[in-house]
Amino acid sequence: MTIANVIALLGGLGFFLFGMTLLGDGLKRVAGSKLEMILAKLTSTTWKGVLLGSLVTAVIQSSSATTVMVVGFVNSGIMKLANAIGIIMGANIGTTATGWILVLADVEGGGLSSATIFALISFIGIILYFFCRKPIRRNIGMIMLAFSILMSGMQSMSGAMAPLKQSPAFLSFISAVSNPIISLLVGIIVTAIIQSCSASIGILQALSITGVIGYDVAIPMVIGMCIGACVPVLLSAVGANINGKRTAFVYLYFNLMGFVVLAIPFYIVHTFMNFGFMSLTATSMGIAIVNTAFKIAATLILMPFAGVLEKLALATIKDRSGEEEEEIEENLLDERFLNYPALALEQSGKTMERMAEAAFKNLTKSVELLEAFKQEKYDKIMAREDKVDRYEDMLGAYLVRLNAKELSEAETQTAARYLNCLNNIERISDHAVNMADLIKELADKEIGFSDKAKRELQICIRAMIETVQLTHETMRDGDLNTARMVEPLEEIVDMLTKELKARHIQRVQVGECTLELGFIYNDFLNNMERITDHCSNIAVAVLESADTSLHSHDYLRAIKKPDQEDYRGLLTEYANKYYSELAAVE
């Protein structure tokens, strides 16, 4: 085998791996960004898990990638370990799709017919990808190009390996690996290095062009490749929690048990009966059949024993003694999901919802201190503020990293909305803490607002809380009608705070209130006004994400024009509600 053959082999391998990656990306885009979300949610039974795992892996073209994703699901609490087992089994079946695609290649000499077909597919793919504007057609073009690249790589590898059948060194190597144990180890090592069972099976199929590989070599090598595919999954679980690590070991144990229940009995029977086909020359199709048959048989046999796999994983990775159950909020943002934007955004949305709940709870607890200040409640508010700050740092960094990925237009808009909301939620919590600090100052100095000032303040507080509740519903449900209700109520809060400031100035002037209390009262109202401003920002961000032509400043100016009946109607409704209460305090 010459240097030129080695270079051709490496170049073909590069094209093969690149084509396989492109093919998976293109299929995934055509299938839709919600593919991973379906996998995360629809695994209530082992059968469903097997079917979905097979489907998703056939699209992604990698059982390791699917299983790494599942490790992330379990690590973040989306999925239980028991539900993950079915997907892992299905992933092993789905990955055989690549082998069958490669059967289409004419690996015995690269005949004109197959080369012509691949060239035609490539030409059509180029036209679709470069000259069509619709994303679906461009993605189909990418799939066709990827398919052609994959097949070209396969044929390059086959052509480069053809001279090996006359190489004494290669023939000696084949004689050595005819021992099933050595062949098994070779399969494990090759797949562990390449980190893809589909790719290593493809190399074996290309190698079959030499005509010197029999099924006595191919069968144990295929089994070894299945076991070697566990290496990237185990590596991905290094930073996972206990359940994430257990999921990776389920994948390992499934493949090891498949070897035990199928390969060992097969070779015991072969020792006594001497299967004739073992001496036959392995072909590309034969290797694909062996790969598929082994994985389907292993799945069917081991499906009833899913509980045993779970127990083995639990026994391997045991719970730490005395370890308390920890909250899993931080684990929702698993790094593995960054390669699957739909999942990453889903988890970001859940994390932001928890952040919002903490921030809004801080607000309600802060205003409750007006009735009776208690140090322990104040301390809880401060602790919750630290939690909100951690959420902001963690989620902000995660979204920035996600934005560096290739996102669709809709995903980019969602990520931008989350970043906008994230900042505003954190500021709401900051203002809630400011209000708690002001109340603490009143308690420390043993001073307080007059009853009349408190009653007026409670009216404004109720308007502020309603604004926050509408904002929370807008974030959670994405309802545009609710989002449009926030701005008129925010304007009422602005009007109320101005009115209350004027009234309190009058009380200070006539001596009903001290100047010191006046400053605290004014600061309290300023924080309330700022909170509803941030609510308005969140609502407008939700509206902007639904209408990309809408810009916040233009929108706010437009809705406040006299001819906007919906806005004016809501403004009048809220004004009647809260100003009637304020009038009763006179």
Side-chain angles (χ1 to χ4, degrees), residues 235-253:
L235 290 175
S236 77
V238 170
N241 61 19
I242 289 175
N243 284 324
K245 290 182 173 70
R246 287 169 176 167
T247 307
F249 272 95
V250 165
Y251 187 53
L252 174 63
Y253 290 145

Side-chain angles (χ1 to χ4, degrees), residues 15-229:
F15 273 113
F16 179 83
L17 294 173
F18 181 61
M20 192 168 67
T21 303
L22 276 184
L23 184 62
D25 290 343
L27 287 167
K28 199 161 55 171
R29 289 180 183 179
V30 171
S33 62
K34 296 297 182 183
L35 188 67
E36 297 88 0
M37 294 312 306
I38 294 172
L39 184 65
K41 295 176 180 178
L42 300 181
T43 54
S44 56
T45 66
T46 304
W47 270 108
K48 283 185 180 179
V50 170
L51 292 173
L52 285 167
S54 301
L55 173 64
V56 172
T57 306
V59 171
I60 295 176
Q61 298 282 299
S62 172
S63 61
S64 298
T66 301
T67 309
V68 167
M69 197 193 310
V70 172
V71 170
F73 291 153
V74 178
N75 186 60
S76 62
I78 298 176
M79 184 184 293
K80 292 182 179 179
L81 178 61
N83 300 116
I85 294 173
I87 298 177
I88 291 170
M89 292 178 174
N92 276 273
I93 297 173
T95 194
T96 63
T98 308
W100 286 104
I101 292 172
L102 296 177
V103 170
L104 299 174
D106 182 8
V107 295
E108 297 183 2
L112 178 63
S113 59
S114 61
T116 303
I117 292 171
F118 300 150
L120 179 62
I121 292 173
S122 176
F123 178 71
I124 296 172
I126 288 172
I127 292 175
L128 291 174
Y129 187 77
F130 285 103
F131 298 103
C132 293
R133 294 184 178 181
K134 291 185 177 180
I136 184 67
R137 292 179 182 174
R138 286 174 56 84
N139 289 333
I140 291 173
M142 178 187 285
I143 291 171
M144 298 177 78
L145 283 169
F147 179 78
S148 300
I149 293 170
L150 179 71
M151 292 305 181
S152 296
M154 182 68 176
Q155 290 187 332
S156 294
M157 287 194 296
S158 299
M161 291 178 181
L164 288 176
K165 59 186 174 184
Q166 298 176 354
S167 169
F170 178 69
L171 294 175
S172 298
F173 172 76
I174 292 300
S175 298
V177 298
S178 59
N179 182 309
I181 297 176
I182 296 176
S183 185
L184 180 81
L185 292 174
V186 169
I188 293 173
I189 292 169
V190 169
T191 309
I193 293 171
I194 298 176
Q195 303 228 334
S196 171
C197 182
S198 297
S200 56
I201 294 291
I203 293 172
L204 182 60
Q205 287 176 297
L207 194 59
S208 67
I209 186 65
T210 61
V212 298
I213 296 178
Y215 286 105
D216 57 336
V217 173
I219 289 175
M221 198 171 288
V222 167
I223 296 171
M225 288 170 177
C226 296
I227 298 172

